[in-house]
Amino acid sequence: MRHGSEPDDHVETLLSRAAEGDEAAFAGVYDALAQPVMGLACRILRDAAQAEEVTQDVMIEVWRTADRFRAERGSARAWVLTLAHRRAVDRVRTAQASADREQRAALLAPDRAFDQVAETVEGHDERRRVYHCLAALTRLQRVPLVLAYYQGMTYIEVARSLSTPEGTVKSRMRNGLRRLRHCLEAGS
């Protein structure tokens, strides 16, 4: 049992009942998982207000889509945290796209120094190479790396959130980092 949370099998039972419209069961799911969802969202977004919004959005999505949960694919906690991760990353991507648009517009301004433009282009190129190399990894290697490096999770937290043994997560991360390094070196 994780500190401050319900055992996974109990949450799964509650989630199954919530899928049938049981509001009291959903309240139990909310009580068990809202805090971990908020923690994950905070690590990704680094903004408490946005993390609260994402948490509420995710918990509403859990209520509406509880019937989509499949216990044979993983724990209820992992399913809900995956929804939270996706929603928070989407929020980051939206903010990044907006910032990129603003930056492109600013680059068109005639008073920009060449060095600023060159640095911006280099940064975009490097980010694009990292995304390309991450995409080349298997899902089993990519997900733990993204959780660790973009969300600041320890390998133990990654193992728990994925309901995977710690040693397995370490191996996948080590292999993923090796492949990522080779890919980045090949592209430079």
Side-chain angles (χ1 to χ4, degrees), residues 28-43:
V29 171
Y30 189 97
D31 290 344
L33 298 178
Q35 186 175 2
V37 167
M38 178 70 172
L40 176 62
C42 275
R43 282 194 299 272

Side-chain angles (χ1 to χ4, degrees), residues 68-114:
R68 294 184 190 163
F69 168 69
R70 299 292 177 259
E72 63 274 6
R73 293 185 181 168
S75 70
R77 177 185 177 89
W79 181 69
V80 172
L81 288 176
T82 299
L83 295 175
H85 177 260
R86 288 179 185 155
R87 184 69 61 111
V89 169
D90 285 347
R91 176 83 56 117
V92 169
R93 286 181 180 149
T94 299
Q96 183 63 49
S98 177
D100 288 348
R101 279 192 301 277
E102 289 175 18
Q103 193 170 34
R104 282 192 300 272
L107 288 174
L108 296 175
D111 61 339
R112 283 286 191 189
F114 174 77

Side-chain angles (χ1 to χ4, degrees), residues 70-187:
R70 299 292 177 259
E72 63 274 6
R73 293 185 181 168
S75 70
R77 177 185 177 89
W79 181 69
V80 172
L81 288 176
T82 299
L83 295 175
H85 177 260
R86 288 179 185 155
R87 184 69 61 111
V89 169
D90 285 347
R91 176 83 56 117
V92 169
R93 286 181 180 149
T94 299
Q96 183 63 49
S98 177
D100 288 348
R101 279 192 301 277
E102 289 175 18
Q103 193 170 34
R104 282 192 300 272
L107 288 174
L108 296 175
D111 61 339
R112 283 286 191 189
F114 174 77
D115 288 343
Q116 290 174 320
V117 173
E119 286 178 22
T120 301
V121 170
E122 285 176 17
H124 285 296
D125 184 50
E126 186 174 318
R127 192 174 318 129
R128 190 172 33 253
R129 285 187 321 140
V130 169
Y131 288 143
H132 170 77
C133 290
L134 275 172
L137 298 176
T138 67
R139 184 180 185 285
L140 293 175
Q141 293 170 332
R142 182 177 53 252
V143 171
L145 289 176
V146 168
L147 291 174
Y149 289 96
Y150 288 94
Q151 280 71 59
M153 295 175 116
T154 66
Y155 77 90
I156 294 170
E157 291 171 324
V158 170
R160 286 183 182 156
S161 72
L162 297 176
S163 300
T164 304
E166 293 171 18
T168 302
V169 168
K170 270 186 175 179
S171 294
R172 289 176 182 169
M173 290 175 72
R174 192 170 31 251
N175 291 335
L177 284 172
R178 189 176 305 117
R179 286 187 60 201
L180 188 62
R181 181 176 46 245
H182 290 308
C183 179
L184 290 170
E185 288 171 356

